[in-house]
Amino acid sequence: MLYVTRRAIFSASHRLNNENLSEEENKEIFDKCNNYHGHGHNYTLEVVVAGEVNPVTGYVIDLKVLKSIIEENVISKLDHKHLNHDVDFMKGINPTAENITVAIWDRLNGKINEGKLYSVKLYETENNYVEYRGEANEF
Amino acid sequence: MLYVTRRAIFSASHRLNNENLSEEENKEIFDKCNNYHGHGHNYTLEVVVAGEVNPVTGYVIDLKVLKSIIEENVISKLDHKHLNHDVDFMKGINPTAENITVAIWDRLNGKINEGKLYSVKLYETENNYVEYRGEANEF
Amino acid sequence: MLYVTRRAIFSASHRLNNENLSEEENKEIFDKCNNYHGHGHNYTLEVVVAGEVNPVTGYVIDLKVLKSIIEENVISKLDHKHLNHDVDFMKGINPTAENITVAIWDRLNGKINEGKLYSVKLYETENNYVEYRGEANEF
Amino acid sequence: MLYVTRRAIFSASHRLNNENLSEEENKEIFDKCNNYHGHGHNYTLEVVVAGEVNPVTGYVIDLKVLKSIIEENVISKLDHKHLNHDVDFMKGINPTAENITVAIWDRLNGKINEGKLYSVKLYETENNYVEYRGEANEF
Amino acid sequence: MLYVTRRAIFSASHRLNNENLSEEENKEIFDKCNNYHGHGHNYTLEVVVAGEVNPVTGYVIDLKVLKSIIEENVISKLDHKHLNHDVDFMKGINPTAENITVAIWDRLNGKINEGKLYSVKLYETENNYVEYRGEANEF
Amino acid sequence: MLYVTRRAIFSASHRLNNENLSEEENKEIFDKCNNYHGHGHNYTLEVVVAGEVNPVTGYVIDLKVLKSIIEENVISKLDHKHLNHDVDFMKGINPTAENITVAIWDRLNGKINEGKLYSVKLYETENNYVEYRGEANEF
């Protein structure tokens, strides 16, 4: 079994805000990330597919195909958008890096035609990133 | 003469839009960068100061001081902000990388206490950056 | 379950030397890393916390909090220090990347207030890094 | 148990081509990667060795030794070569990133004198990489 | 005046060889870079355009346009090619980084519709790069 | 005229201290950089040579030769050393990034056999770097 990773980048705005909390509580918890008009990042996404090597192609998955799947399902929806306002599958979701990562996993899961979705990693800045492997909490 | 560079990063949103143009013209020129709610970047800023080495300190400029000047005049104003809405010195300015870079130069110019401001570079993504050296057009 | 990573950097000196060996043996094993006055690195540290997303915050752990825990327990102790001379919890430990990594794990373990410490990675140069996940040897 | 990683780089040419397929089929599957004279990459290799810390050295494996093992068995064979023509252990193998990674694993496996080979990662570009851990397919 | 940089990447093979020298002389001068079937790199190209900010757009040059000019004139010709065999404008040119850089300058010069071509930089590896600004030798 | 850059890395310790000042003054000016036993960095050096392309080789300077010149005159002297104690040409010099950069320029100047030394850049961390072009102060 091999793990094949494809990287993609999108530039988006977000505002951290829990709609079920008061303005003061949101300010308290999210601080400068709660700025009303939002702020933004160049998000770097890594999608990892695990599987066997196809003996005809020598690929786990054709990266041209994987690139298209990521482009169609994720990048075209998130790039140059405000994640709180412009993205149907993020509606009502507080766009923390954690929640964006799970939302991307859910968008991609079931759409990988060769191998199996293994991991989604999202770098918000050079200092912070999140990984999700579709696991339930094991602790 | 030596050139000393200090790097800093800020995460901000912006929307490219010329207020003197119609909605259709803005859409035509700025395309996805004209998205109503904006999008965002991790902007990487490099500030270059040129000067002689101070024989007492061995520095052109103390980088702790340069870091504070950048923090106070630029980062604290732009980080976790929407550049079209939240920044007094960007009011009425279309926040292209070029215009942000000149605005940062203007904020810093005259505030460098040792050496002389030589260059401001702003990376918007890993593929795009702008440099300004305070020069008038020489062509 | 998600994995959240926070990066931090510290600049430190070290000298590889086993106090139980002779000068010749240390020279033989550690070669230029045994230089008497030491040498140094910009160490890049990555701390990974695993856990569920808190439904109120959308975080596994608030990165402002994680940053403070790393700053207080690790960075403030190691940054701009000589690891053989200046760090109480490294006393008597030969400061290889492996031993520093385990020492950092031990400093952080039990101090993470949300989620669970999953991994500590330490990059000594762009060519070398070490990871520890708190595992006993399984081979 | 710790995981120690050593990075190395080689610059090589390759052409993706399955000798059992027709010219048209190869063109169809591999597209521009099937260019007759090939194209090339700066391949970045990461070799991960897992093991206990040796109490005498403080190392899992002496990186000078690991560097030599990688140099002798991999880099000296692949660097500044055309992978389809110049490399004995790649003869008859379609040099996809997946197949090169498994070939490098097979070259290194059994030659690591301390600890155990845990993972081989190969970055073909900044957007694509492959990892192999010697696992059979588990799905 | 501002300097705007656009980055692009191409993966190509080359063989350093001067057709006017003997096989032995080429082997002597170019060593492993003279390997008969060639070797390859992920070349990183940076194109710098200098000019004034257009007051309507806030751009020196629209980067979508600059990207297209680079794509059409350079990347589509060099990416996934062998520079000695597959590129019309490199015919008869020994493809050192220096010569490729000048050839790219010549391809782009006169095709930049806003501002003026200022510099072409070409990174062959992470350790080597070349810059050309269209200057005659001034020494 | 072209500009050719070669990168090299060395890991070293240093302590910022002006021997003509008191202990208190040094502590005041250099703060944590004045730590008695020093601290360290992975210094990244870039050496830029300017010149014409040699029509026989297609090179400004053979990078194998430039690499050797840098290795012999700089890296072998500074790598895995304490700059205050172990380096003859740094004796009595306060090893700020500025002073190290000028010392490296002086070591290399006159030793470049093809083209001309144009610039020396030294990155102390990812946030700080210094460049020297052999210029007298022009302000």
Side-chain angles (χ1 to χ4, degrees):
Chain A
M1 189 172 61
L2 286 102
Y3 304 85
V4 176
T5 300
R6 177 76 194 174
R7 191 181 78 122
I9 293 178
F10 59 93
S11 296
S13 283
H14 71 157
R15 179 199 187 196
L16 300 191
N17 196 61
N18 179 337
E19 297 172 2
N20 301 317
L21 300 178
S22 70
E23 201 176 313
E24 291 70 27
E25 290 168 319
N26 274 303
K27 193 74 199 159
E28 167 87 13
I29 294 173
F30 298 113
D31 195 41
K32 63 182 182 177
C33 298
N34 185 241
N35 182 48
Y36 181 75
H37 291 107
H39 65 284
H41 300 288
N42 301 319
Y43 290 93
T44 299
L45 172 67
E46 291 187 354
V47 176
V48 188
V49 172
E52 294 187 290
V53 175
N54 178 327
V56 176
T57 60
Y59 293 149
V60 168
I61 180 173
D62 184 336
L63 284 175
K64 292 187 297 294
V65 174
L66 181 54
K67 183 185 176 184
S68 296
I69 294 170
I70 296 170
E71 176 62 31
E72 182 185 335
N73 291 283
V74 179
I75 303 303
S76 68
K77 305 292 184 184
L78 303 182
D79 188 37
H80 283 72
K81 303 295 186 194
H82 193 304
L83 303 181
N84 303 58
H85 298 294
D86 301 327
V87 184
D88 51 5
F89 64 87
M90 295 294 297
K91 278 279 149 62
I93 296 176
N94 184 13
T96 60
E98 287 90 335
N99 284 338
I100 305 169
T101 304
V102 173
I104 292 173
W105 172 280
D106 290 343
R107 289 287 296 173
L108 292 174
N109 201 16
K111 301 209 181 73
I112 307 297
N113 65 325
E114 294 186 276
K116 189 177 158 179
L117 184 62
Y118 174 76
S119 166
V120 170
K121 292 183 204 172
L122 188 70
Y123 295 75
E124 202 168 64
T125 70
E126 64 181 20
N127 292 325
N128 304 333
Y129 64 94
V130 170
E131 182 178 10
Y132 183 52
R133 300 183 196 150
E135 300 164 310
N137 196 346
E138 67 185 23
F139 296 129
Chain B
M1 190 171 60
L2 285 101
Y3 304 85
V4 177
T5 300
R6 177 76 194 175
R7 189 181 78 123
I9 293 178
F10 59 94
S11 295
S13 283
H14 70 156
R15 180 199 187 196
L16 301 190
N17 196 62
N18 180 336
E19 296 172 1
N20 301 316
L21 299 179
S22 70
E23 199 175 317
E24 290 70 27
E25 289 168 320
N26 275 303
K27 192 76 200 158
E28 168 86 13
I29 294 173
F30 298 114
D31 196 41
K32 62 183 183 176
C33 298
N34 185 242
N35 182 48
Y36 181 76
H37 291 105
H39 64 284
H41 300 288
N42 302 319
Y43 289 93
T44 299
L45 171 68
E46 291 187 354
V47 175
V48 189
V49 172
E52 293 186 290
V53 175
N54 178 326
V56 176
T57 59
Y59 293 150
V60 169
I61 180 173
D62 185 336
L63 284 176
K64 292 185 297 295
V65 175
L66 181 54
K67 182 184 175 184
S68 295
I69 294 170
I70 297 170
E71 175 62 30
E72 181 186 335
N73 292 284
V74 180
I75 302 302
S76 68
K77 305 291 184 185
L78 303 182
D79 188 37
H80 282 72
K81 304 294 186 195
H82 192 305
L83 303 181
N84 301 58
H85 298 295
D86 300 327
V87 184
D88 52 4
F89 64 87
M90 295 294 296
K91 279 278 149 62
I93 297 175
N94 185 11
T96 60
E98 288 89 336
N99 285 338
I100 305 169
T101 303
V102 173
I104 292 172
W105 173 280
D106 290 342
R107 291 285 298 172
L108 293 173
N109 202 16
K111 301 209 181 73
I112 308 296
N113 65 326
E114 295 186 274
K116 190 178 157 180
L117 184 61
Y118 176 75
S119 166
V120 170
K121 293 182 203 171
L122 188 70
Y123 294 75
E124 203 168 63
T125 70
E126 65 180 19
N127 291 325
N128 304 333
Y129 64 95
V130 169
E131 181 179 10
Y132 182 53
R133 301 183 195 151
E135 301 165 309
N137 196 346
E138 66 184 21
F139 295 128
Chain C
M1 190 172 61
L2 285 101
Y3 304 85
V4 176
T5 299
R6 177 76 193 174
R7 190 181 78 122
I9 292 177
F10 59 94
S11 296
S13 283
H14 71 155
R15 180 199 187 197
L16 300 191
N17 195 62
N18 180 337
E19 297 172 2
N20 301 316
L21 299 179
S22 71
E23 201 176 315
E24 291 71 26
E25 289 169 320
N26 274 303
K27 193 75 201 160
E28 168 85 12
I29 294 174
F30 298 114
D31 195 42
K32 63 183 183 179
C33 298
N34 186 242
N35 182 48
Y36 180 77
H37 291 106
H39 65 284
H41 300 289
N42 302 319
Y43 289 94
T44 299
L45 172 67
E46 291 187 354
V47 175
V48 188
V49 172
E52 292 186 292
V53 176
N54 178 327
V56 176
T57 60
Y59 293 150
V60 168
I61 180 172
D62 184 336
L63 284 176
K64 293 187 296 295
V65 174
L66 180 55
K67 183 185 175 185
S68 295
I69 294 170
I70 297 170
E71 175 62 31
E72 182 186 334
N73 292 284
V74 180
I75 302 303
S76 69
K77 306 291 183 184
L78 303 183
D79 188 36
H80 283 71
K81 304 294 186 196
H82 193 305
L83 302 181
N84 302 58
H85 298 295
D86 300 326
V87 184
D88 52 4
F89 64 86
M90 295 295 296
K91 278 280 149 59
I93 296 175
N94 184 12
T96 59
E98 287 89 336
N99 284 338
I100 305 169
T101 304
V102 173
I104 293 173
W105 173 280
D106 289 343
R107 290 288 295 174
L108 293 173
N109 202 16
K111 303 210 180 73
I112 307 296
N113 64 326
E114 296 187 274
K116 190 177 158 181
L117 184 61
Y118 175 76
S119 165
V120 169
K121 293 183 204 172
L122 188 70
Y123 295 75
E124 202 168 63
T125 70
E126 65 181 20
N127 292 326
N128 303 332
Y129 65 93
V130 169
E131 181 179 10
Y132 183 52
R133 299 183 197 151
E135 301 165 309
N137 196 346
E138 66 184 23
F139 294 130
Chain D
M1 188 172 61
L2 286 101
Y3 304 84
V4 176
T5 300
R6 176 76 193 174
R7 189 181 78 123
I9 293 178
F10 60 91
S11 295
S13 284
H14 70 157
R15 179 200 187 196
L16 300 190
N17 196 61
N18 179 336
E19 296 172 3
N20 300 317
L21 300 178
S22 70
E23 200 175 316
E24 291 69 27
E25 290 169 319
N26 274 303
K27 194 76 200 159
E28 168 86 12
I29 295 173
F30 298 113
D31 196 40
K32 63 183 182 177
C33 299
N34 185 241
N35 182 50
Y36 181 75
H37 291 105
H39 64 285
H41 301 288
N42 302 319
Y43 289 93
T44 299
L45 172 67
E46 291 187 354
V47 175
V48 188
V49 172
E52 295 186 290
V53 175
N54 177 327
V56 176
T57 59
Y59 293 149
V60 168
I61 180 172
D62 184 337
L63 284 176
K64 292 187 297 295
V65 174
L66 181 55
K67 183 184 175 185
S68 295
I69 293 170
I70 297 170
E71 176 62 31
E72 181 186 334
N73 291 284
V74 179
I75 302 303
S76 69
K77 306 291 184 185
L78 302 183
D79 188 37
H80 283 72
K81 303 296 186 195
H82 193 304
L83 303 181
N84 302 58
H85 298 296
D86 300 327
V87 184
D88 52 4
F89 64 87
M90 295 294 296
K91 279 280 149 60
I93 296 174
N94 185 12
T96 60
E98 286 90 335
N99 284 337
I100 305 169
T101 303
V102 173
I104 291 173
W105 172 281
D106 290 342
R107 289 287 295 174
L108 293 173
N109 202 15
K111 302 209 181 74
I112 307 297
N113 64 325
E114 296 186 274
K116 189 176 157 181
L117 184 62
Y118 175 76
S119 165
V120 170
K121 292 183 204 172
L122 188 69
Y123 294 75
E124 202 169 65
T125 71
E126 64 181 20
N127 291 326
N128 304 333
Y129 63 94
V130 169
E131 181 179 10
Y132 182 52
R133 300 183 195 150
E135 301 166 308
N137 196 347
E138 66 185 23
F139 296 129
Chain E
M1 189 172 59
L2 286 101
Y3 304 84
V4 176
T5 299
R6 176 75 194 175
R7 190 181 78 124
I9 293 178
F10 60 92
S11 296
S13 284
H14 71 155
R15 179 199 187 196
L16 300 191
N17 196 61
N18 179 336
E19 296 173 1
N20 300 318
L21 300 178
S22 70
E23 199 176 317
E24 290 70 26
E25 290 169 319
N26 274 303
K27 192 76 200 161
E28 168 86 13
I29 294 173
F30 299 113
D31 194 41
K32 63 182 182 178
C33 298
N34 186 241
N35 181 50
Y36 181 76
H37 291 104
H39 64 284
H41 300 290
N42 302 319
Y43 289 93
T44 299
L45 171 68
E46 291 187 354
V47 175
V48 188
V49 172
E52 294 186 290
V53 175
N54 178 326
V56 176
T57 60
Y59 293 149
V60 169
I61 180 172
D62 185 336
L63 284 176
K64 292 186 298 293
V65 174
L66 181 54
K67 182 184 175 184
S68 295
I69 294 169
I70 297 170
E71 175 64 29
E72 181 186 335
N73 291 284
V74 179
I75 303 303
S76 68
K77 305 291 183 184
L78 303 183
D79 187 37
H80 283 73
K81 304 294 186 195
H82 193 304
L83 303 181
N84 302 58
H85 298 295
D86 301 326
V87 183
D88 52 5
F89 64 86
M90 295 294 296
K91 278 281 148 61
I93 297 176
N94 185 12
T96 60
E98 287 89 336
N99 284 338
I100 304 170
T101 304
V102 173
I104 292 173
W105 173 281
D106 290 342
R107 289 286 296 173
L108 292 173
N109 202 14
K111 302 208 180 72
I112 308 296
N113 64 326
E114 295 186 275
K116 189 178 157 181
L117 184 62
Y118 175 76
S119 166
V120 170
K121 292 183 204 172
L122 188 70
Y123 294 74
E124 202 169 64
T125 69
E126 65 181 19
N127 291 325
N128 304 333
Y129 65 94
V130 170
E131 181 179 10
Y132 182 53
R133 300 183 196 151
E135 301 164 308
N137 196 348
E138 66 183 24
F139 296 128
Chain F
M1 190 172 60
L2 286 101
Y3 304 85
V4 176
T5 299
R6 176 75 194 175
R7 191 181 77 123
I9 294 178
F10 59 93
S11 296
S13 284
H14 71 156
R15 180 199 186 197
L16 300 191
N17 196 61
N18 180 336
E19 296 172 2
N20 301 317
L21 299 178
S22 69
E23 201 175 314
E24 291 69 28
E25 290 168 319
N26 274 304
K27 193 74 201 160
E28 168 86 12
I29 295 173
F30 298 114
D31 196 41
K32 62 182 183 176
C33 299
N34 185 241
N35 181 49
Y36 181 76
H37 291 106
H39 64 284
H41 300 290
N42 302 318
Y43 289 93
T44 299
L45 172 67
E46 291 188 354
V47 175
V48 188
V49 172
E52 294 185 291
V53 176
N54 178 325
V56 176
T57 60
Y59 294 149
V60 168
I61 180 173
D62 185 335
L63 284 176
K64 291 185 298 294
V65 174
L66 180 55
K67 183 185 175 184
S68 294
I69 294 169
I70 297 170
E71 175 63 32
E72 181 186 334
N73 292 284
V74 180
I75 303 302
S76 69
K77 306 290 185 186
L78 303 183
D79 187 37
H80 283 72
K81 304 293 186 196
H82 193 304
L83 302 181
N84 302 59
H85 299 294
D86 301 327
V87 184
D88 53 3
F89 64 87
M90 294 295 296
K91 279 279 148 60
I93 296 175
N94 184 13
T96 60
E98 287 88 337
N99 285 337
I100 305 170
T101 304
V102 173
I104 292 172
W105 173 280
D106 290 343
R107 289 286 297 172
L108 292 173
N109 202 15
K111 301 209 180 73
I112 307 297
N113 65 326
E114 295 186 275
K116 190 178 158 179
L117 184 61
Y118 174 76
S119 165
V120 170
K121 292 182 205 172
L122 187 70
Y123 295 75
E124 202 168 63
T125 69
E126 65 181 20
N127 291 326
N128 304 333
Y129 65 94
V130 170
E131 181 178 10
Y132 183 52
R133 300 184 195 150
E135 301 164 309
N137 196 346
E138 67 185 21
F139 294 129

